[in-house]
């Protein structure tokens, strides 16, 4: 007679969430949901005609805020960190799309402060989601430190090129001369950094120094061949560091996932031993 199937294990909270995290997630989600209701009213009634782009994204923010409040109350215990991360992503992405789709204005209300504030809320919630996973296994912190150390150099390189792409580090204008006053004025307008007068000069100078380094300036003959070889080797190193950093970061969160599922192997049915009857 076949053995009776094992009785299911009692339901347990596999992913416990600290009280401070529930309070923070619930409070920020409630505040953002109420904020979204204000945006719904503004988009529907204050602009004369409804601003459908803003109205749609504000409704999405309200729904995400309600889900965040439920997470703060202890619902959706199967994957609380993933749930908080999804709420954070909706807050950030919806706010950015609303800002770009509404030309940065809603019934005379500038949306840039709204967008920046909601991105900050989304960043806080994403940090909470990461902490909920990392705190499950102490080894995760060591893995995360390794990921940060290995990814520091590629991160700095990416930041420098991103700043150069938006206008930092452009060539400085040539000094004005009496005979070429008009051309110099035009060169100044086109060569000055985009953020001139508002950005720290040290950032602009640092980007300019990197972009003017021999490795990034075209050369001739043997110098150009050596430059290409150097860039190739540098690219290989940066790709390797980025891959290693991503590996350790992923492993850090995998440790937290495994730590949150104790007894998973014990719950599996035992394999039939060799030679036992198949009754």
């Amino acid at each position: 007679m076949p053995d009776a199937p094992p009785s299911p294990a009692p339901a347990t909270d596999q992913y416990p969430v600290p009280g401070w995290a529930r309070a923070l997630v619930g409070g920020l989600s409630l505040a953002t949901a109420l904020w979204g209701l204000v945006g719904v009213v503004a988009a529907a009634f204050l602009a004369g005609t409804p601003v459908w782009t803003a109205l749609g994204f504000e409704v999405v923010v309200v729904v995400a805020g309600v889900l965040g409040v439920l997470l703060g109350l202890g619902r959706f215990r199967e994957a609380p960190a993933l749930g908080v991360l999804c709420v954070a992503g909706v807050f950030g992405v919806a706010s950015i799309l609303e800002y770009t789709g509404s030309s940065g204005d809603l019934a005379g209300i500038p949306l840039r402060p709204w967008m920046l504030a909601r991105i900050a809320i989304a960043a806080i919630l994403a940090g909470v989601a990461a902490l909920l996973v990392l705190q499950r296994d102490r080894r995760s912190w060591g893995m995360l430190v390794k990921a940060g150390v290995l990814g520091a150099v590629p991160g700095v390189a990416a930041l420098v090129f991103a700043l150069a792409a938006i206008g930092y580090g452009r060539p400085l204008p040539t000094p004005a001369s009496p005979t070429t006053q008009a051309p110099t004025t035009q060169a100044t307008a086109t060569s000055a950094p985009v953020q001139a007068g508002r950005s720290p000069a040290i950032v602009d100078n640092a980007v300019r120094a990197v972009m003017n380094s021999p490795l990034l300036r075209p050369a001739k003959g043997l110098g150009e061949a050596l430059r290409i070889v150097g860039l190739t080797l540098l690219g290989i190193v940066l790709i390797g560091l980025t891959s290693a950093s991503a590996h350790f970061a992923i492993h850090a969160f995998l440790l937290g996932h495994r730590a949150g599922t104790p007894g998973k192997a014990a719950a599996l049915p035992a394999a039939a031993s060799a030679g036992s009857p198949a009754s």
Side-chain angles (χ1 to χ4, degrees):
M1 182 175 181
D3 297 334
S7 59
T12 58
D13 194 356
Q14 294 181 350
Y15 301 102
V17 180
W20 66 266
R22 290 184 180 181
L24 184 58
V25 171
L28 290 177
S29 298
L30 177 60
T32 308
L34 295 176
W35 189 356
L37 289 176
V38 174
V40 169
V41 173
F45 302 107
L46 298 185
T49 58
V51 183
W52 296 111
T53 302
L55 180 60
F57 285 119
E58 290 296 331
V59 171
V60 171
V61 168
V62 172
V63 174
V66 172
L67 293 177
V69 171
L70 293 177
L71 284 166
L73 294 176
R75 303 294 181 88
F76 314 117
R77 296 184 178 182
E78 294 82 2
L82 182 60
V84 174
L85 183 62
C86 290
V87 171
V90 171
F91 284 167
V93 174
S95 300
I96 293 174
L97 293 178
E98 178 184 0
Y99 175 78
T100 57
S102 302
S103 301
D105 183 84
L106 176 60
I109 303 173
L111 291 180
R112 183 179 178 84
W114 288 37
M115 178 188 66
L116 295 178
R118 287 179 178 176
I119 289 176
I121 292 174
I124 294 173
L125 292 178
V128 172
L131 286 175
L132 290 178
V133 178
L134 296 174
Q135 55 90 27
R136 297 170 188 161
D137 193 318
R138 294 181 179 180
R139 296 175 296 173
S140 296
W141 296 106
M143 294 289 178
L144 198 63
V145 170
K146 293 178 181 178
V149 172
L150 292 171
V153 174
V156 171
L159 177 61
V160 169
F161 282 101
L163 291 174
I166 63 176
Y168 285 85
R170 291 184 180 179
L172 293 174
T174 56
S177 61
T179 58
T180 60
Q181 185 65 34
T184 302
T185 302
Q186 183 179 3
T188 302
T190 58
S191 301
V194 171
Q195 302 289 335
R198 295 193 303 171
S199 64
I202 187 173
V203 175
D204 191 59
N205 293 333
V207 174
R208 184 178 298 107
V210 173
M211 301 307 294
N212 289 333
S213 62
L215 198 60
L216 298 179
R217 286 187 303 175
K220 294 181 179 180
L222 180 61
E224 180 66 8
L226 295 176
R227 187 181 76 89
I228 297 300
V229 172
L231 283 176
T232 303
L233 295 177
L234 178 60
I236 293 174
V237 171
L238 291 178
I239 293 174
L241 290 175
T242 302
S243 301
S245 176
H247 166 77
F248 282 111
I250 294 172
H251 194 58
F253 286 96
L254 284 177
L255 287 174
H257 173 70
R258 293 167 183 168
T261 54
K264 185 175 181 180
L268 297 176
S273 58
S276 60
S279 57

